[in-house]
Amino acid sequence: MDILVIGGNRYFGKRLIALLRDSGHRITILNRGSSAAPGGMEHLVADRDDESALESVLAGRSFDVVVDQVCYTPRQAEIARRVFATRTRRYVMTSTVEVYGYEDSVTPVAESVLDLAAVTVDTGPAWDDPEFREEHYGEGKRQAEAVFAAGSPFAWASVRVAHVLGGDDDFTGRLDHYVQRVRAGEPIAVPVVNRPATYVYVEEIAAFLAWTVEAEFTGPVNAHSHGPLTTADICAEVEKQVGGRTVFREVEVGEVSPFSFARSYGMDNSRATALGYSFSHSAEWLSRAVSETVGGTR
């Protein structure tokens, strides 16, 4: 297949690209030019927020599948829906567990919990502000999904990615936050009631996205490993590998550490299973994921 990947060619994105390439697909990368495409792949340079620039660079081009790794706002989704209307038959958007930002459910949440038809879409200028985008990450993804779901000229799917762990190239610093504090025995701020969450191994989410590219289903799908993890689970593995001591400090207000949650919004991956994909259990890869990241941050 002829596949266009928009942005996201680092961390699990670069693993996805490698998997697609190794499967024999022809890959084209589109980004702003801030990073080069892997060797042997065509590289298109354009700002995805600039509709005319996209139209220009894509003139005369079409693709079997578009994988959009960096659609963060409803405005970007609207531009993509217009630009790719006649340029692809299938569009895969990488989304996030954070679309469930208003949920607090002990029962794992299924895709249907979020009614995209009821989401209010606002494409106003606030989305031009990088700080606003970051602060409203989940909302931006939710509204972007709503734009595509409202009616797209191509088959559309969104992959709601859980919290990702693993890799020596984890640039987020979230796991390193715990490594540094556990090593030093420094307090780790957590909510008074700290809920478990769903996670996925970096290699596995790349594999699932590659599988999604070749699948035919539409609509949203939750993507995560079986076996929710708590902050204590993660810290116990860190402590085992780097030494030190885990010290939790409960806070009722204020900022808490990453991977600690005052509400429950763990996902249910039953749809992915029904579609034919078998996720692993977090117990199978947690040690490896921590080892990789700890090694990469030394």
Side-chain angles (χ1 to χ4, degrees):
M1 289 192 294
D2 197 351
I3 300 169
L4 176 70
V5 179
I6 305 177
N9 57 340
R10 62 175 178 167
Y11 202 33
F12 64 81
K14 73 179 184 183
R15 291 166 172 81
L16 166 63
I17 291 168
L19 288 172
L20 294 174
R21 177 200 60 207
D22 293 347
S23 295
H25 300 298
R26 178 185 175 191
I27 313 300
T28 301
I29 307 296
L30 189 153
N31 60 31
R32 292 175 298 177
S34 55
S35 58
M41 297 182 188
E42 186 174 4
H43 187 194
L44 303 179
V45 177
D47 183 343
R48 64 149 324 131
D49 291 307
D50 186 336
E51 187 166 352
S52 62
L54 279 178
E55 289 280 4
S56 177
V57 78
L58 292 168
R61 300 294 302 269
S62 64
F63 304 90
D64 295 303
V65 184
V66 173
V67 183
D68 194 342
Q69 292 274 70
V70 289
C71 186
Y72 298 122
T73 76
R75 183 183 295 181
Q76 291 175 336
E78 287 193 341
I79 290 173
R81 192 171 61 177
R82 290 191 295 266
V83 169
F84 291 100
T86 60
R87 291 187 169 97
T88 191
R89 64 170 182 80
R90 179 168 173 79
Y91 200 99
V92 176
M93 172 189 164
T94 302
S95 190
T96 173
V97 62
E98 299 304 331
V99 299
Y100 300 115
Y102 302 123
E103 301 301 322
D104 189 356
S105 170
V106 175
T107 304
V109 295
E111 294 84 355
S112 58
V113 167
L114 174 57
D115 181 4
L116 291 172
V119 173
T120 299
V121 173
D122 178 4
T123 58
W127 293 110
D128 294 330
D129 180 0
E131 186 173 329
F132 181 87
R133 286 190 190 186
E134 184 174 354
E135 291 176 355
H136 297 83
Y137 173 68
E139 181 61 29
K141 289 284 191 180
R142 182 166 41 246
Q143 290 189 30
E145 283 197 35
V147 168
F148 288 119
S152 296
F154 36 66
W156 167 80
S158 66
V159 177
R160 294 173 178 170
V161 179
H163 307 289
V164 182
L165 289 174
D168 61 2
D169 54 341
D170 180 358
F171 63 90
T172 67
R174 291 176 296 187
L175 188 56
D176 190 51
H177 171 92
Y178 292 104
V179 171
Q180 300 305 322
R181 281 158 179 76
V182 169
R183 272 182 176 148
E186 296 177 350
I188 297 168
V190 296
V192 175
V193 179
N194 192 12
R195 307 292 188 186
T198 39
Y199 291 81
V200 67
Y201 181 45
V202 62
E203 303 289 348
E204 187 163 40
I205 190 56
F208 182 73
L209 283 164
W211 178 84
T212 299
V213 166
E214 297 181 338
E216 296 295 333
F217 72 88
T218 59
V221 62
N222 293 336
H224 63 90
S225 301
H226 300 287
L229 297 170
T230 65
T231 313
D233 292 330
I234 296 171
C235 287
E237 185 58 43
V238 170
E239 189 174 309
K240 184 189 303 183
Q241 296 196 27
V242 307
R245 185 169 63 99
T246 300
V247 180
F248 289 130
R249 176 172 59 87
E250 296 180 349
V251 295
E252 294 187 4
V253 294
E255 187 173 354
V256 296
S257 297
F259 301 146
S260 57
F261 308 96
R263 59 188 175 84
S264 295
Y265 62 120
M267 296 189 292
D268 178 351
N269 64 12
S270 296
R271 185 178 189 220
T273 301
L275 288 168
Y277 193 89
S278 297
F279 279 101
S280 67
H281 193 285
S282 59
E284 298 174 38
W285 53 257
L286 179 59
S287 176
R288 182 165 71 254
V290 170
S291 176
E292 290 170 350
T293 305
V294 168
T297 58
R298 283 178 177 149

